[in-house]
């Protein structure tokens, strides 16, 4: 719950401040190793905040990659045995090509807002 509060912040600076507060709270709870891991890696954790806010929810998680991994594992298990490593590689590449062509295109990240001026973007965010 405390870690979710970091990602709920509106900008990177407030997220850093919240991370420092969470780090202190973790130290009080005698979880100093976790606090150190959080404070040492906060810049990497908040990298997604360097992008436009419309893309934050899509790029801050790796759910898409995890789903793709599960799909590839499922297909490999269905075949059971490959004559050589090249066959497995071809299966994985074919699946990656299909997913990249159908699911990671314009539907994945909407780029329409990039052509709008910054003032218009802020009004869109405020309006909801």
């Amino acid at each position: 719950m405390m870690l979710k509060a970091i990602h709920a912040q509106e900008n990177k600076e407030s997220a850093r401040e919240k991370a420092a507060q969470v780090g202190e709270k973790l130290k009080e709870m005698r979880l100093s190793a976790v606090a150190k891991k959080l404070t040492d890696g906060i810049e990497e954790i908040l990298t997604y905040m360097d992008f436009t806010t419309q893309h934050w929810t899509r790029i801050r998680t790796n759910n898409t990659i995890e789903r793709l991994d599960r799909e590839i594992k499922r297909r490999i298990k269905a075949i059971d045995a490959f004559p050589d490593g090249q066959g497995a590689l071809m299966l994985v590449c074919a699946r990656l090509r299909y997913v990249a062509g159908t699911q990671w295109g314009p539907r994945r990240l909407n780029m329409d807002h990039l052509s709008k001026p910054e003032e218009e973007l802020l009004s869109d965010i405020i309006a909801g």
Side-chain angles (χ1 to χ4, degrees), residues 3 6 19 22-23 26 33-43 45:
L3 297 178
I6 296 170
V22 169
L26 289 170
V34 176
K36 182 174 177 9
K37 188 71 130 170
L38 174 67
T39 54
D40 288 350
I42 193 63
E43 289 306 314
I45 293 169

Side-chain angles (χ1 to χ4, degrees), residues 36-76:
K36 182 174 177 9
K37 188 71 130 170
L38 174 67
T39 54
D40 288 350
I42 193 63
E43 289 306 314
E44 291 177 14
I45 293 169
L46 299 178
T47 300
Y48 73 92
M49 288 187 164
D50 293 334
F51 296 89
T52 58
T53 55
Q54 290 87 351
H55 292 178
W56 285 7
T57 56
R58 295 284 190 172
I59 61 178
R60 77 173 176 212
T61 68
N62 62 353
N63 292 343
T64 305
I65 296 169
E66 289 173 359
R67 186 178 184 291
L68 181 61
D69 284 346
R70 284 193 309 270
E71 175 69 17
I72 289 171
K73 285 178 187 176
R74 183 185 68 81
R75 289 177 181 267
I76 287 174

